[in-house]
Amino acid sequence: MVLLNGIESILPIVLIIVLGYVLSYKKWLDESASELFSRIVVKISLPCLMFYTVIENLERSQLSHMIFGLIAAFLSILITYLIANMLVILLKFDRKKAGLFSAIFAFSNTIFVGLPVNQALFGNKAVPYVLLYYVANTTLFWTLGLYNIRKDVEDPNGNFSMYQALKKIFSAPLLGYIVGIIFILLGIKTPQFLVDTAKYIGQLTTPLSMIFIGISIYMTDLKDFKLDKNVLFLLIGRIIIAPIITILVLHLFKLNILLEKVFVIQSALPVMTQIAIVAHAYKSDQKYPSIMIAATNLLSLIVVPIYMYIISNIF
């Protein structure tokens, strides 16, 4: 029954992804539309959603346990990343792609896929926990992950500076989250018209994110996908190892059950989209992460309902 409920929760998301794919196939949408949708989500709708969800679903008494949740997220992602680095050495993978391999292995798409999936599975109360994992995921990627991807290429002087990395970490969605937390801590009563505005704009996030994924899948040539040793270990890492590490780390803490379920789902999600962007910026192998992004997006349609069933029996 839980497995069926998980599948039913995912189906609306699947249909919107298919819509994005079909509209791209029909040439209604192209790469510029994809960039526009991405910008609207990251800069406008997602910050509004974060602010609205925090002030509507969190209380001051709940904030203390979220600090431990953030520690658990950082710890689980960092351990997964270190395992990826060990595999590169032990299995003698191409060291010129070591940074890319570790990033693909450890970092998931916590917003464009993670947010709508967790909303569909658990409702709006899951959104603050989605952002907790997002903070850890984004911080580690734009610091540790970025540093090692730069080491993959001969010229480490790429287009990203540390200032730009910090800007990526302190993004508009995070600022929306922080403002919501400040409102709760100070006991500020938000005018209803602002709450409603944030709610309506925030509701754009899921459909635009899923259409964006549909366009991305259409634009990726899956004919180049080959199930070699590298790809196999990346799939195992993203789908199996990362969630197992997360489950083990969560057992070290006494956290909210909903937070734990969200973290496990977040850890099993498709590859982080920004990895392909960084690979392109540093003239690394952009096709490598792009194919993994598309492949894991398709696999997530099967993986997410399975993990929904698993966590319902663990937590």
Side-chain angles (χ1 to χ4, degrees):
M1 182 59 105
V2 174
L3 185 60
L4 289 176
N5 289 339
I7 293 172
E8 286 183 357
S9 298
I10 295 298
L11 278 178
I13 293 173
V14 174
L15 293 176
I16 300 174
I17 291 174
V18 171
L19 174 63
Y21 186 94
V22 171
L23 292 178
S24 299
Y25 174 77
K26 293 288 187 180
K27 308 303 179 186
W28 287 24
L29 300 175
D30 55 14
E31 188 171 358
S32 61
S34 173
E35 292 176 359
L36 174 62
F37 289 170
S38 174
R39 188 171 301 175
I40 291 173
V41 168
V42 173
K43 301 290 186 182
I44 301 173
S45 69
L46 187 53
C48 288
L49 179 63
M50 290 301 173
F51 175 76
Y52 167 76
T53 307
V54 167
I55 63 174
E56 287 292 302
N57 293 288
L58 282 183
E59 297 177 1
R60 190 181 300 181
S61 60
Q62 295 176 283
L63 297 180
S64 59
H65 86 272
M66 295 184 72
I67 296 173
F68 293 102
L70 188 61
I71 294 170
F74 268 103
L75 190 57
S76 61
I77 297 169
L78 184 58
I79 291 172
T80 305
Y81 190 84
L82 293 175
I83 289 173
N85 276 271
M86 289 170 58
L87 286 174
V88 170
I89 298 170
L90 292 174
L91 300 175
K92 298 180 180 179
F93 289 146
D94 185 353
R95 298 303 294 269
K96 291 184 178 180
K97 294 182 180 179
L100 277 179
F101 178 91
S102 298
I104 293 168
F105 193 99
F107 300 116
S108 57
N109 193 331
T110 54
I111 289 295
F112 283 104
V113 179
L115 180 63
V117 165
N118 280 286
Q119 273 188 304
L121 293 174
F122 309 115
N124 280 339
K125 288 186 177 181
V127 175
Y129 304 134
V130 169
L131 193 69
L132 269 188
Y133 195 93
Y134 160 80
V135 169
N137 194 71
T138 301
T139 301
L140 287 172
F141 173 71
W142 288 107
T143 50
L144 186 61
L146 178 65
Y147 173 77
N148 284 308
I149 290 173
R150 289 180 65 185
K151 286 175 64 179
D152 285 348
V153 294
E154 292 181 1
D155 178 13
N157 299 314
N159 298 323
F160 286 89
S161 65
M162 183 55 66
Y163 170 71
Q164 288 173 313
L166 289 173
K167 281 178 64 178
K168 296 291 184 180
I169 295 169
F170 290 97
S171 59
L174 179 57
L175 294 177
Y177 185 84
I178 291 172
V179 171
I181 295 293
I182 292 172
F183 271 51
I184 292 173
L185 290 174
L186 298 180
I188 298 173
K189 178 65 176 177
T190 311
Q192 191 59 43
F193 76 92
L194 286 180
V195 175
D196 291 340
T197 302
K199 175 184 176 182
Y200 295 142
I201 296 175
Q203 287 173 340
L204 294 171
T205 303
T206 293
L208 291 183
S209 297
M210 294 301 94
I211 291 173
F212 169 83
I213 295 298
I215 299 170
S216 299
I217 292 174
Y218 176 79
M219 292 171 56
T220 303
D221 189 0
L222 288 173
K223 293 178 182 177
D224 293 327
F225 180 81
K226 295 178 182 178
L227 192 62
D228 57 19
K229 183 173 69 171
N230 281 32
V231 170
L232 181 61
F233 274 95
L234 284 172
L235 292 176
I236 291 172
R238 189 89 300 281
I239 295 170
I240 299 174
I241 295 177
I244 289 175
I245 295 299
T246 302
I247 291 169
L248 293 175
V249 169
L250 287 171
H251 277 295
L252 301 175
F253 299 84
K254 291 184 178 180
L255 299 171
N256 182 292
I257 296 298
L258 178 57
L259 181 150
E260 294 182 337
K261 290 181 177 181
V262 168
F263 278 18
V264 175
I265 295 296
Q266 288 281 70
S267 67
L269 290 175
V271 175
M272 190 179 188
T273 308
Q274 287 85 346
I275 297 172
I277 297 170
V278 170
H280 176 72
Y282 285 110
K283 297 179 174 58
S284 186
D285 187 354
Q286 182 186 356
K287 186 180 291 186
Y288 181 46
S290 296
I291 290 173
M292 292 305 303
I293 289 166
T296 51
N297 270 296
L298 293 172
L299 275 175
S300 68
L301 307 179
I302 301 170
V303 170
V304 169
I306 292 173
Y307 271 104
M308 186 62 185
Y309 175 78
I310 291 171
I311 61 179
S312 68
N313 291 291
I314 293 177
F315 298 111

